[in-house]
Amino acid sequence: MNRIREIIVLQLLLLLHFNMPAQLLLPKIIGNNMVLQRSAPVTVWGYAKAGDAIAVGFNHQEKKTRTGSDGNWKVILDAMPASAIPGKMVIRSVNDSIILENILVGEVWLCSGQSNMEYTMRKNSKVTVPAGEDWPVNELETAHNKNIRIFLVDRKRMKPDSLHSGWDIAEDSALRSFSAAGYFFAKKMYRELQVPIGVIASSVPGSRIEPWMPEEAFTALPFFNNQTDSTHAIEGEPGKFYQTMIAPLAPFSIKGFLWYQGESNCFLNERLQYTYKMQALINQWRKLWGNSLLPFYYVQIAPFAYSKSKGKIAYTEESLPEFWEVQELALKIPYTAMVATTDLNFDLDNLHPHFKWEIGRRLALCALANDYGRKDIVPMGPLYQQMEVQGNRISIDFTYAGSGLMSNDGQALKGFTISGADGKFVPAKAIIKQNRVEVSADGIGHPVAVRFGWNEAGHPNLYNKEGLPALPFRTDNPLVKQFK
């Protein structure tokens, strides 16, 4: 008898389940405390019973639609100006409603990568400050700006929840677990723009670039269509993090992307293929958001003693500069910029240096100069443009020279080498002359090529007067014509 009663109860429960209207659901990224992108259409989407009427109200707008046969629905709010006044969004279906509170309108950026982007504010607070330095390691104690909001992607917790949680004010426990580079980017952006800033952080320590895009991102490029060797092979678990940590965020309206990754691929001794992988990633993310103009700003991986690493791959002191070179090649992709880090690690045994506050600031400079009309800001340090042989010396031109080139420590320029036709590079004398750098060396009467910062342990001192270091380069780069 008890068994029969259990079966009847189960049948009733199943009957109730299948006759209940489908619940109104929202993706995790849409919730309380969020920041919506200003001056752009804003997509709001979710799930409900097939055929249900849906209405979304926010900021004196109401948009209506009806769910499809699969229960999906989407509306697009008209572009709105920035607003630091907390707003309320009301979403209604036939039998359900959701009210989201404390919503602002401002600038939204997505930051991603591996451990140096994941590096948390908690770790930042544990940095030892040398005497005489004023490093922002106490930021957790002072960060209480209600206009900076953060969303930390946890791939195990991206399903809808009834609390509509995920977005937080950048303070206290939420900030402790958040990307330090992402937070300091937001802080600088708010200081300059005085509008709400939202930052989404989606990073995995130790991750290669491949898991951050699906396999079709690779096959869309001819470079990966001929997989006859390891250089052109598609490896590294494509799509593993893309499907759970990037795709669920779209089409949430954002301004652009911030990327700090590459160490794992550098350890694999990758070169030109990494540039193409960056192109595949950038193309895919822009395609996912339906906007080929979204800016993509990325960070040069930090100085590290790769040459001391043990394993099957033999590294040299030039392995890292060669990887920096293929990172720099990605600047050929439109709407990109690269943050230099050659001055941000003085312990080459530490793969995760601090100074994330400066990484965030420099990323903000890229955005402010390129996307917000700040003509007074130079986005990058000096970037090699071209060379000219002048007798026994070579003259180097740079873009992003800003208001002028300089030695940041007042000493003679260092880190330059020069070679003749024999290809043997020797230390060179370099001087700044009329906003160019002239390079020469005794015994080199007919110079052919110049290299700068071409050593993992080098800390060159060529900067622009805006305080940004020059990117390492070699004028004899064999790859520059191979990436188009």
PDB file of all heavy atoms in Angstrom, residues 215-237:
ATOM      1  N   GLU A 215      36.552  26.051 -31.927  1.00  0.00           N
ATOM      2  CA  GLU A 215      37.410  25.575 -33.006  1.00  0.00           C
ATOM      3  C   GLU A 215      37.145  26.312 -34.309  1.00  0.00           C
ATOM      4  O   GLU A 215      38.068  26.549 -35.097  1.00  0.00           O
ATOM      5  CB  GLU A 215      37.226  24.077 -33.213  1.00  0.00           C
ATOM      6  CG  GLU A 215      38.201  23.491 -34.229  1.00  0.00           C
ATOM      7  CD  GLU A 215      38.267  21.979 -34.178  1.00  0.00           C
ATOM      8  OE1 GLU A 215      37.792  21.389 -33.188  1.00  0.00           O
ATOM      9  OE2 GLU A 215      38.825  21.387 -35.125  1.00  0.00           O
ATOM     10  N   GLU A 216      35.892  26.714 -34.539  1.00  0.00           N
ATOM     11  CA  GLU A 216      35.591  27.407 -35.801  1.00  0.00           C
ATOM     12  C   GLU A 216      36.290  28.754 -35.914  1.00  0.00           C
ATOM     13  O   GLU A 216      36.459  29.287 -37.011  1.00  0.00           O
ATOM     14  CB  GLU A 216      34.088  27.596 -35.975  1.00  0.00           C
ATOM     15  CG  GLU A 216      33.379  28.300 -34.840  1.00  0.00           C
ATOM     16  CD  GLU A 216      32.741  27.334 -33.856  1.00  0.00           C
ATOM     17  OE1 GLU A 216      33.287  26.230 -33.665  1.00  0.00           O
ATOM     18  OE2 GLU A 216      31.695  27.708 -33.282  1.00  0.00           O
ATOM     19  N   ALA A 217      36.716  29.316 -34.785  1.00  0.00           N
ATOM     20  CA  ALA A 217      37.487  30.556 -34.839  1.00  0.00           C
ATOM     21  C   ALA A 217      38.836  30.319 -35.527  1.00  0.00           C
ATOM     22  O   ALA A 217      39.335  31.183 -36.251  1.00  0.00           O
ATOM     23  CB  ALA A 217      37.700  31.109 -33.438  1.00  0.00           C
ATOM     24  N   PHE A 218      39.421  29.157 -35.295  1.00  0.00           N
ATOM     25  CA  PHE A 218      40.686  28.808 -35.941  1.00  0.00           C
ATOM     26  C   PHE A 218      40.474  28.533 -37.432  1.00  0.00           C
ATOM     27  O   PHE A 218      41.198  29.044 -38.283  1.00  0.00           O
ATOM     28  CB  PHE A 218      41.299  27.578 -35.282  1.00  0.00           C
ATOM     29  CG  PHE A 218      41.740  27.780 -33.868  1.00  0.00           C
ATOM     30  CD1 PHE A 218      40.885  27.507 -32.816  1.00  0.00           C
ATOM     31  CD2 PHE A 218      43.012  28.246 -33.583  1.00  0.00           C
ATOM     32  CE1 PHE A 218      41.290  27.687 -31.507  1.00  0.00           C
ATOM     33  CE2 PHE A 218      43.430  28.425 -32.278  1.00  0.00           C
ATOM     34  CZ  PHE A 218      42.558  28.146 -31.231  1.00  0.00           C
ATOM     35  N   THR A 219      39.501  27.683 -37.737  1.00  0.00           N
ATOM     36  CA  THR A 219      39.309  27.251 -39.120  1.00  0.00           C
ATOM     37  C   THR A 219      38.833  28.388 -40.016  1.00  0.00           C
ATOM     38  O   THR A 219      38.888  28.265 -41.244  1.00  0.00           O
ATOM     39  CB  THR A 219      38.309  26.091 -39.182  1.00  0.00           C
ATOM     40  OG1 THR A 219      37.070  26.478 -38.574  1.00  0.00           O
ATOM     41  CG2 THR A 219      38.867  24.874 -38.452  1.00  0.00           C
ATOM     42  N   ALA A 220      38.395  29.503 -39.423  1.00  0.00           N
ATOM     43  CA  ALA A 220      38.013  30.664 -40.218  1.00  0.00           C
ATOM     44  C   ALA A 220      39.232  31.361 -40.830  1.00  0.00           C
ATOM     45  O   ALA A 220      39.081  32.182 -41.742  1.00  0.00           O
ATOM     46  CB  ALA A 220      37.225  31.658 -39.366  1.00  0.00           C
ATOM     47  N   LEU A 221      40.433  31.022 -40.322  1.00  0.00           N
ATOM     48  CA  LEU A 221      41.663  31.627 -40.842  1.00  0.00           C
ATOM     49  C   LEU A 221      42.405  30.623 -41.715  1.00  0.00           C
ATOM     50  O   LEU A 221      42.622  29.477 -41.292  1.00  0.00           O
ATOM     51  CB  LEU A 221      42.572  32.063 -39.692  1.00  0.00           C
ATOM     52  CG  LEU A 221      42.043  33.136 -38.738  1.00  0.00           C
ATOM     53  CD1 LEU A 221      43.088  33.430 -37.667  1.00  0.00           C
ATOM     54  CD2 LEU A 221      41.682  34.406 -39.488  1.00  0.00           C
ATOM     55  N   PRO A 222      42.839  31.013 -42.892  1.00  0.00           N
ATOM     56  CA  PRO A 222      43.599  30.095 -43.770  1.00  0.00           C
ATOM     57  C   PRO A 222      44.840  29.525 -43.100  1.00  0.00           C
ATOM     58  O   PRO A 222      45.252  28.397 -43.412  1.00  0.00           O
ATOM     59  CB  PRO A 222      43.960  30.983 -44.961  1.00  0.00           C
ATOM     60  CG  PRO A 222      42.905  32.041 -44.993  1.00  0.00           C
ATOM     61  CD  PRO A 222      42.566  32.306 -43.548  1.00  0.00           C
ATOM     62  N   PHE A 223      45.437  30.260 -42.174  1.00  0.00           N
ATOM     63  CA  PHE A 223      46.666  29.806 -41.512  1.00  0.00           C
ATOM     64  C   PHE A 223      46.484  28.438 -40.868  1.00  0.00           C
ATOM     65  O   PHE A 223      47.410  27.630 -40.832  1.00  0.00           O
ATOM     66  CB  PHE A 223      47.092  30.834 -40.458  1.00  0.00           C
ATOM     67  CG  PHE A 223      48.381  30.506 -39.756  1.00  0.00           C
ATOM     68  CD1 PHE A 223      49.600  30.871 -40.289  1.00  0.00           C
ATOM     69  CD2 PHE A 223      48.373  29.815 -38.546  1.00  0.00           C
ATOM     70  CE1 PHE A 223      50.796  30.562 -39.634  1.00  0.00           C
ATOM     71  CE2 PHE A 223      49.549  29.508 -37.883  1.00  0.00           C
ATOM     72  CZ  PHE A 223      50.766  29.878 -38.440  1.00  0.00           C
ATOM     73  N   PHE A 224      45.281  28.175 -40.331  1.00  0.00           N
ATOM     74  CA  PHE A 224      45.054  26.921 -39.609  1.00  0.00           C
ATOM     75  C   PHE A 224      44.380  25.854 -40.475  1.00  0.00           C
ATOM     76  O   PHE A 224      44.031  24.782 -39.969  1.00  0.00           O
ATOM     77  CB  PHE A 224      44.203  27.186 -38.358  1.00  0.00           C
ATOM     78  CG  PHE A 224      44.900  28.041 -37.341  1.00  0.00           C
ATOM     79  CD1 PHE A 224      44.548  29.379 -37.174  1.00  0.00           C
ATOM     80  CD2 PHE A 224      45.922  27.535 -36.565  1.00  0.00           C
ATOM     81  CE1 PHE A 224      45.187  30.174 -36.244  1.00  0.00           C
ATOM     82  CE2 PHE A 224      46.576  28.321 -35.631  1.00  0.00           C
ATOM     83  CZ  PHE A 224      46.214  29.651 -35.469  1.00  0.00           C
ATOM     84  N   ASN A 225      44.209  26.127 -41.732  1.00  0.00           N
ATOM     85  CA  ASN A 225      43.568  25.138 -42.606  1.00  0.00           C
ATOM     86  C   ASN A 225      44.529  24.063 -43.090  1.00  0.00           C
ATOM     87  O   ASN A 225      44.103  23.026 -43.596  1.00  0.00           O
ATOM     88  CB  ASN A 225      42.923  25.827 -43.813  1.00  0.00           C
ATOM     89  CG  ASN A 225      41.681  26.619 -43.409  1.00  0.00           C
ATOM     90  OD1 ASN A 225      41.088  26.346 -42.363  1.00  0.00           O
ATOM     91  ND2 ASN A 225      41.304  27.593 -44.210  1.00  0.00           N
ATOM     92  N   ASN A 226      45.824  24.342 -42.957  1.00  0.00           N
ATOM     93  CA  ASN A 226      46.836  23.367 -43.385  1.00  0.00           C
ATOM     94  C   ASN A 226      47.574  22.868 -42.148  1.00  0.00           C
ATOM     95  O   ASN A 226      48.636  23.372 -41.790  1.00  0.00           O
ATOM     96  CB  ASN A 226      47.806  24.005 -44.379  1.00  0.00           C
ATOM     97  CG  ASN A 226      48.872  23.044 -44.852  1.00  0.00           C
ATOM     98  OD1 ASN A 226      48.693  21.836 -44.782  1.00  0.00           O
ATOM     99  ND2 ASN A 226      49.987  23.573 -45.318  1.00  0.00           N
ATOM    100  N   GLN A 227      46.993  21.870 -41.498  1.00  0.00           N
ATOM    101  CA  GLN A 227      47.530  21.402 -40.224  1.00  0.00           C
ATOM    102  C   GLN A 227      48.540  20.268 -40.420  1.00  0.00           C
ATOM    103  O   GLN A 227      48.378  19.161 -39.915  1.00  0.00           O
ATOM    104  CB  GLN A 227      46.382  20.953 -39.325  1.00  0.00           C
ATOM    105  CG  GLN A 227      45.396  22.071 -38.999  1.00  0.00           C
ATOM    106  CD  GLN A 227      44.317  21.615 -38.059  1.00  0.00           C
ATOM    107  OE1 GLN A 227      44.564  20.906 -37.090  1.00  0.00           O
ATOM    108  NE2 GLN A 227      43.087  22.016 -38.345  1.00  0.00           N
ATOM    109  N   THR A 228      49.582  20.600 -41.133  1.00  0.00           N
ATOM    110  CA  THR A 228      50.589  19.577 -41.424  1.00  0.00           C
ATOM    111  C   THR A 228      51.704  19.541 -40.401  1.00  0.00           C
ATOM    112  O   THR A 228      52.531  18.634 -40.408  1.00  0.00           O
ATOM    113  CB  THR A 228      51.195  19.820 -42.817  1.00  0.00           C
ATOM    114  OG1 THR A 228      51.746  21.153 -42.857  1.00  0.00           O
ATOM    115  CG2 THR A 228      50.125  19.686 -43.894  1.00  0.00           C
ATOM    116  N   ASP A 229      51.754  20.534 -39.504  1.00  0.00           N
ATOM    117  CA  ASP A 229      52.790  20.549 -38.473  1.00  0.00           C
ATOM    118  C   ASP A 229      52.233  21.201 -37.229  1.00  0.00           C
ATOM    119  O   ASP A 229      51.102  21.704 -37.202  1.00  0.00           O
ATOM    120  CB  ASP A 229      54.038  21.285 -38.972  1.00  0.00           C
ATOM    121  CG  ASP A 229      53.729  22.695 -39.463  1.00  0.00           C
ATOM    122  OD1 ASP A 229      52.931  23.396 -38.805  1.00  0.00           O
ATOM    123  OD2 ASP A 229      54.263  23.088 -40.511  1.00  0.00           O
ATOM    124  N   SER A 230      53.030  21.213 -36.158  1.00  0.00           N
ATOM    125  CA  SER A 230      52.559  21.745 -34.881  1.00  0.00           C
ATOM    126  C   SER A 230      52.289  23.235 -34.927  1.00  0.00           C
ATOM    127  O   SER A 230      51.467  23.752 -34.161  1.00  0.00           O
ATOM    128  CB  SER A 230      53.591  21.434 -33.785  1.00  0.00           C
ATOM    129  OG  SER A 230      54.847  22.029 -34.100  1.00  0.00           O
ATOM    130  N   THR A 231      52.968  23.948 -35.814  1.00  0.00           N
ATOM    131  CA  THR A 231      52.754  25.388 -35.920  1.00  0.00           C
ATOM    132  C   THR A 231      51.331  25.709 -36.363  1.00  0.00           C
ATOM    133  O   THR A 231      50.721  26.670 -35.893  1.00  0.00           O
ATOM    134  CB  THR A 231      53.759  26.003 -36.915  1.00  0.00           C
ATOM    135  OG1 THR A 231      55.079  25.795 -36.425  1.00  0.00           O
ATOM    136  CG2 THR A 231      53.509  27.494 -37.086  1.00  0.00           C
ATOM    137  N   HIS A 232      50.789  24.909 -37.264  1.00  0.00           N
ATOM    138  CA  HIS A 232      49.457  25.173 -37.804  1.00  0.00           C
ATOM    139  C   HIS A 232      48.375  24.309 -37.162  1.00  0.00           C
ATOM    140  O   HIS A 232      47.206  24.419 -37.529  1.00  0.00           O
ATOM    141  CB  HIS A 232      49.462  24.951 -39.316  1.00  0.00           C
ATOM    142  CG  HIS A 232      50.386  25.861 -40.059  1.00  0.00           C
ATOM    143  ND1 HIS A 232      51.737  25.603 -40.172  1.00  0.00           N
ATOM    144  CD2 HIS A 232      50.178  27.033 -40.712  1.00  0.00           C
ATOM    145  CE1 HIS A 232      52.312  26.572 -40.871  1.00  0.00           C
ATOM    146  NE2 HIS A 232      51.389  27.444 -41.208  1.00  0.00           N
ATOM    147  N   ALA A 233      48.729  23.483 -36.216  1.00  0.00           N
ATOM    148  CA  ALA A 233      47.766  22.568 -35.594  1.00  0.00           C
ATOM    149  C   ALA A 233      46.827  23.323 -34.651  1.00  0.00           C
ATOM    150  O   ALA A 233      47.189  24.343 -34.061  1.00  0.00           O
ATOM    151  CB  ALA A 233      48.503  21.474 -34.845  1.00  0.00           C
ATOM    152  N   ILE A 234      45.621  22.800 -34.518  1.00  0.00           N
ATOM    153  CA  ILE A 234      44.644  23.332 -33.568  1.00  0.00           C
ATOM    154  C   ILE A 234      44.650  22.415 -32.355  1.00  0.00           C
ATOM    155  O   ILE A 234      44.143  21.301 -32.397  1.00  0.00           O
ATOM    156  CB  ILE A 234      43.247  23.404 -34.201  1.00  0.00           C
ATOM    157  CG1 ILE A 234      43.272  24.280 -35.455  1.00  0.00           C
ATOM    158  CG2 ILE A 234      42.243  23.951 -33.194  1.00  0.00           C
ATOM    159  CD1 ILE A 234      41.976  24.271 -36.233  1.00  0.00           C
ATOM    160  N   GLU A 235      45.246  22.892 -31.272  1.00  0.00           N
ATOM    161  CA  GLU A 235      45.388  22.095 -30.058  1.00  0.00           C
ATOM    162  C   GLU A 235      44.921  22.918 -28.864  1.00  0.00           C
ATOM    163  O   GLU A 235      44.366  24.000 -29.023  1.00  0.00           O
ATOM    164  CB  GLU A 235      46.854  21.670 -29.878  1.00  0.00           C
ATOM    165  CG  GLU A 235      47.407  20.851 -31.045  1.00  0.00           C
ATOM    166  CD  GLU A 235      48.886  20.583 -30.933  1.00  0.00           C
ATOM    167  OE1 GLU A 235      49.599  21.403 -30.307  1.00  0.00           O
ATOM    168  OE2 GLU A 235      49.333  19.562 -31.473  1.00  0.00           O
ATOM    169  N   GLY A 236      45.124  22.402 -27.649  1.00  0.00           N
ATOM    170  CA  GLY A 236      44.860  23.186 -26.452  1.00  0.00           C
ATOM    171  C   GLY A 236      43.423  23.324 -26.047  1.00  0.00           C
ATOM    172  O   GLY A 236      43.029  24.339 -25.465  1.00  0.00           O
ATOM    173  N   GLU A 237      42.575  22.350 -26.319  1.00  0.00           N
ATOM    174  CA  GLU A 237      41.176  22.327 -25.876  1.00  0.00           C
ATOM    175  C   GLU A 237      40.385  23.561 -26.307  1.00  0.00           C
ATOM    176  O   GLU A 237      39.863  24.307 -25.474  1.00  0.00           O
ATOM    177  CB  GLU A 237      41.097  22.174 -24.365  1.00  0.00           C
ATOM    178  CG  GLU A 237      41.717  20.898 -23.824  1.00  0.00           C
ATOM    179  CD  GLU A 237      41.547  20.760 -22.327  1.00  0.00           C
ATOM    180  OE1 GLU A 237      42.254  21.496 -21.600  1.00  0.00           O
ATOM    181  OE2 GLU A 237      40.717  19.958 -21.902  1.00  0.00           O
TER     182      GLU A 237
END
